[in-house]
Amino acid sequence: IQIDPLSLVMMMVVTGVGFLIHVFSVGYMKEDPGYPRYFAYLNLFVFFMLVLVMGSSYALMFVGWEGVGLCSYLLISFWSEDTDNVVAGNKAFIVNRIGDLGFVLGMAFLFWGIGADGFDYLSLKANAHNLTAPVGVLVCLLLFIGATGKSAQIPLYVWLPDAMAGPTPVSALIHAATMVTAGVYMVARFSFI
């Protein structure tokens, strides 16, 4: 776990927005038969988002990154009786996996360029000078592809309109300052590269 000003701001955003969405969800979902399952998914989403922002290494960030992607799939396709909702959840899941491939390749090249000395953020920052210019540019481009998928930027934005298939609070959680800002957080976290 690493708490610094950047992660602290994101923790406040995630917990603040998450709290408001939980409060709204209590009334919004009270008649739904999937009420307990909904809150389990919602809390799991917030947990993985906090793992993403509080992790002290890029490997732990990736665990949160993947968990958020899984929970977004579960929440978007929450009303799975409707085929359109399942298709929307699948679309979000697949497009996010394309971005995740960029993130994984970026981490692999980062590990290859710096080695085990740069596994956590502090060591990574101290050893970033060991990256050669071509590898550094490649790492930045690949990490940016990961951020593009998670933050729904062109050309990997196609999943975001379909995220409305889930319950309204889910759309707010995904759109408003949590999952979409995960990509921005990742770019800010690796900005020294």
Side-chain angles (χ1 to χ4, degrees):
I1 300 295
Q2 175 179 326
I3 307 296
D4 60 5
L6 180 60
S7 62
L8 194 59
V9 167
M10 279 302 292
M11 286 168 48
M12 291 189 321
V13 168
V14 169
T15 55
V17 171
F19 171 75
L20 294 174
I21 290 168
H22 275 74
V23 169
F24 180 74
S25 295
V26 169
Y28 186 86
M29 298 295 289
K30 68 180 173 186
E31 302 295 325
D32 196 287
Y35 187 85
R37 180 172 54 101
Y38 171 80
F39 275 96
Y41 293 163
L42 203 61
N43 286 316
L44 195 61
F45 184 98
V46 172
F47 168 76
F48 278 121
M49 193 65 199
L50 289 173
V51 167
L52 190 153
V53 300
M54 291 179 5
S56 64
S57 68
Y58 54 82
L60 197 51
M61 176 191 267
F62 188 71
V63 169
W65 192 270
E66 287 300 308
V68 166
L70 170 66
C71 291
S72 71
Y73 162 73
L74 294 172
L75 288 166
I76 291 169
S77 59
F78 179 75
W79 289 314
S80 57
E81 313 80 47
D82 186 2
T83 307
D84 292 338
N85 293 351
V86 174
V87 168
N90 289 342
K91 188 176 187 181
F93 192 77
I94 291 166
V95 172
N96 272 283
R97 296 300 73 81
I98 294 168
D100 293 350
L101 178 62
F103 192 0
V104 167
L105 290 174
M107 288 190 316
F109 278 105
L110 192 58
F111 186 77
W112 176 67
I114 293 180
D117 293 337
F119 198 67
D120 64 272
Y121 297 130
L122 298 175
S123 300
L124 180 64
K125 192 171 186 175
N127 294 305
H129 66 278
N130 293 335
L131 282 175
T132 61
V135 174
V137 169
L138 183 61
V139 166
C140 288
L141 288 174
L142 289 169
L143 291 177
F144 188 70
I145 289 170
T148 301
K150 196 64 75 185
S151 294
Q153 301 299 316
I154 294 174
L156 299 177
Y157 68 95
V158 295
W159 67 269
L160 194 56
D162 295 334
M164 294 297 199
T168 300
V170 170
S171 304
L173 185 67
I174 291 172
H175 297 162
T178 54
M179 183 171 160
V180 172
T181 59
V184 177
Y185 172 79
M186 189 258 287
V187 169
R189 178 56 72 193
F190 289 106
S191 63
F192 55 86
I193 296 177

